[in-house]
Amino acid sequence: MKNSEIKALSSEELNERLNTERANMQNLRFAHAISPLENPMKIREAKRTIARLNTEKRSRELANS
């Protein structure tokens, strides 16, 4: 997910997407622990997407205060 797509989300959509990505990363980690993933880079991508979402959420909090 690109930064421009993240900035276009509303705050409610941002929180939903954050929860979805966290659940997705947890599922990827469980799957990787049981048997190696075909593409382990998906875990890294999920981490970075979560970080981007958290960054946008925090910047909105700071802008509102």
Side-chain angles (χ1 to χ4, degrees), residues 37-60:
L37 290 175
E38 190 172 312
N39 185 2
M41 294 298 285
K42 287 183 180 181
I43 296 173
R44 182 184 291 180
E45 290 172 14
K47 279 185 189 177
R48 289 183 177 176
T49 301
I50 290 169
R52 286 185 185 109
L53 291 167
N54 280 327
T55 301
E56 179 62 23
K57 186 176 176 182
R58 181 65 178 150
S59 67
R60 289 181 187 187

Side-chain angles (χ1 to χ4, degrees), residues 24-38:
N24 181 34
M25 188 173 74
Q26 187 176 20
N27 289 337
L28 286 171
R29 283 184 173 171
F30 286 151
H32 188 63
I34 294 169
S35 64
L37 290 175
E38 190 172 312

